[in-house]
Amino acid sequence: MTGAGPPTVPGVVELIAAGQAELLDGRGLNASHRVAWGSRALSVKVHCAERSSAAEFRRIGRVDSALRGTPWYPPVLDLGFHGAERPRLVVVRPYAPGSPADDARRHIGGVVDVLADLVARAEGVRAEETLVGDYASPWLDGARSERSLVDPLLTGEWRGLGRAMDRHLGELRRGAERLTSADGLRVHHGDLHGRNLIAQGPGRLTVIDWDEAGFSRRPADAGKALWLSCRLGRGDFALDPEATGLFLGRLHTRLGIPYSDARDLARLGALWFLPRHDHVTLLGRRDAGLGSWYLGWVLRFWRRFRGNLDLVTRTAAELEAGAP
């Protein structure tokens, strides 16, 4: 098959199986491919079996319905399951050419514009409760269970992670709860960071990797983007004071988020950096070294957490004091 007619899940899977696709780099649980379909380039995401479910199918479809027509959003071209024994969810979208924004500080304005669009596009959206959730949900719904499950993995050099969880978890949960609303939903991308922002010219971005998309009752995308857009560099979790000020200022202007919520917003985003047993073990199954890489990565985050949190608080107070 060379790609005649509209792209389909069976067609792109056949090309991947025939070795006629490029496997794209990534450390996530799902596999990404670039596939030539006639004159078109497609992005094909093959979800791991453990994350392939009917709820995931419905979640991606509902998000797609809410976001179609947004200039930075690559729409779903086909969506379905492949395989008999352990069916995998396959999502086909247009491939976004361009360069990943390794330094997201240069795109803070664009990131906040995306966050504002996600809020606007959620107006009037209805979604069943099984489609509502984000990275904070497991920690708000069952923190004791999540902490107990991951504990056997936090031995040896990872003991510091366990201590950080015990020191900060209650504070993070309370911050997230204060930002949670029972009314209204937000469309949730789930992973807004530089590598998922494809620069396609001055001021023009495409947002890719919608694996974790769904709906949320709190500003979870903004909380996570605060940490991932304002850091000095990839793998370095020291926040840049100038970028932090720009991000908080833009959030206040575009989304109306009060400066007094900045510290809780940072606490909410920090919940994403708490290791979960399921995530670590699934990474290890994909690649034996990925689990250890991930634990070391989040440990670096927690070593800088308190100083960074204080920076966010000071910056927000300075912005509020100088606000007209």
Side-chain angles (χ1 to χ4, degrees):
M1 179 177 295
T2 59
T8 64
V9 166
V12 298
V13 169
E14 182 178 332
L15 291 174
I16 293 170
Q20 298 180 42
E22 177 187 357
L23 179 64
L24 303 177
D25 290 337
R27 292 192 175 112
L29 297 172
N30 304 324
S32 297
H33 304 265
R34 179 165 54 194
V35 175
W37 187 269
S39 61
R40 305 176 66 182
L42 305 178
S43 171
V44 180
K45 185 63 64 79
V46 180
H47 289 232
C48 65
E50 293 83 357
R51 299 287 175 89
S52 296
S53 66
E56 198 74 6
F57 176 94
R58 293 196 305 276
R59 183 180 296 113
I60 291 173
R62 291 296 297 278
V63 168
D64 184 67
S65 296
L67 295 184
R68 276 185 174 267
T70 309
W72 43 260
Y73 174 72
V76 172
L77 302 176
D78 197 22
L79 171 69
F81 292 91
H82 176 75
E85 292 186 11
R86 302 190 75 187
R88 294 171 181 261
L89 181 62
V90 180
V91 187
V92 185
R93 301 179 188 268
Y95 180 79
S99 304
D102 283 326
D103 188 350
R105 291 175 296 174
R106 294 182 295 130
H107 299 285
I108 284 175
V111 169
V112 177
D113 287 344
V114 167
L115 292 171
D117 284 347
L118 289 172
V119 172
R121 285 284 181 149
E123 291 183 9
V125 167
R126 298 285 185 272
E128 58 262 42
E129 204 57 35
T130 55
L131 306 187
V132 179
D134 53 53
Y135 58 81
S137 300
W139 297 107
L140 296 181
D141 298 339
R144 183 175 297 179
S145 173
E146 292 293 338
R147 176 68 184 89
S148 177
L149 284 171
V150 79
D151 195 56
L153 302 179
L154 305 182
T155 59
E157 62 184 309
W158 312 124
R159 292 184 191 277
L161 262 176
R163 290 192 294 270
M165 295 177 75
D166 295 334
R167 186 180 309 120
H168 299 297
L169 182 54
E171 169 191 2
L172 305 187
R173 293 180 71 245
R174 289 188 293 272
E177 287 166 353
R178 284 190 287 268
L179 296 179
T180 300
S181 171
D183 301 322
L185 293 175
R186 296 165 183 261
V187 181
H188 179 64
H189 174 274
D191 202 19
L192 285 176
H193 63 80
R195 297 294 295 179
N196 286 340
L197 307 173
I198 304 300
Q200 297 178 304
R204 187 169 169 227
L205 294 174
T206 296
V207 181
I208 63 170
D209 278 2
W210 291 84
D211 309 34
E212 301 173 35
F215 302 91
S216 175
R217 300 192 187 280
R218 52 193 154 257
D221 268 334
K224 184 174 175 181
L226 167 62
W227 292 105
L228 296 182
S229 297
C230 301
R231 54 186 173 167
L232 289 171
R234 293 193 75 206
D236 185 346
F237 285 106
L239 291 182
D240 179 338
E242 183 178 351
T244 302
L246 177 59
F247 185 86
L248 295 176
R250 294 276 298 189
L251 275 185
H252 180 74
T253 301
R254 293 284 280 115
L255 281 82
I257 294 179
Y259 290 123
S260 57
D261 283 350
R263 192 172 180 90
D264 280 341
L265 189 70
R267 289 168 171 146
L268 167 61
L271 283 168
W272 185 73
F273 296 90
L274 294 176
R276 297 184 61 214
H277 178 272
D278 288 353
H279 185 72
V280 177
T281 53
L282 287 176
L283 283 174
R285 286 179 201 168
R286 178 174 175 181
D287 185 309
L290 272 181
S292 294
W293 168 84
Y294 169 76
L295 291 174
W297 188 71
V298 294
L299 181 57
R300 292 198 298 276
F301 172 88
W302 290 107
R303 285 172 175 163
R304 293 189 180 272
F305 173 69
R306 183 57 60 185
N308 283 326
L309 187 63
D310 290 343
L311 170 65
V312 170
T313 305
R314 289 195 308 273
T315 303
E318 292 166 2
L319 287 168
E320 187 168 36

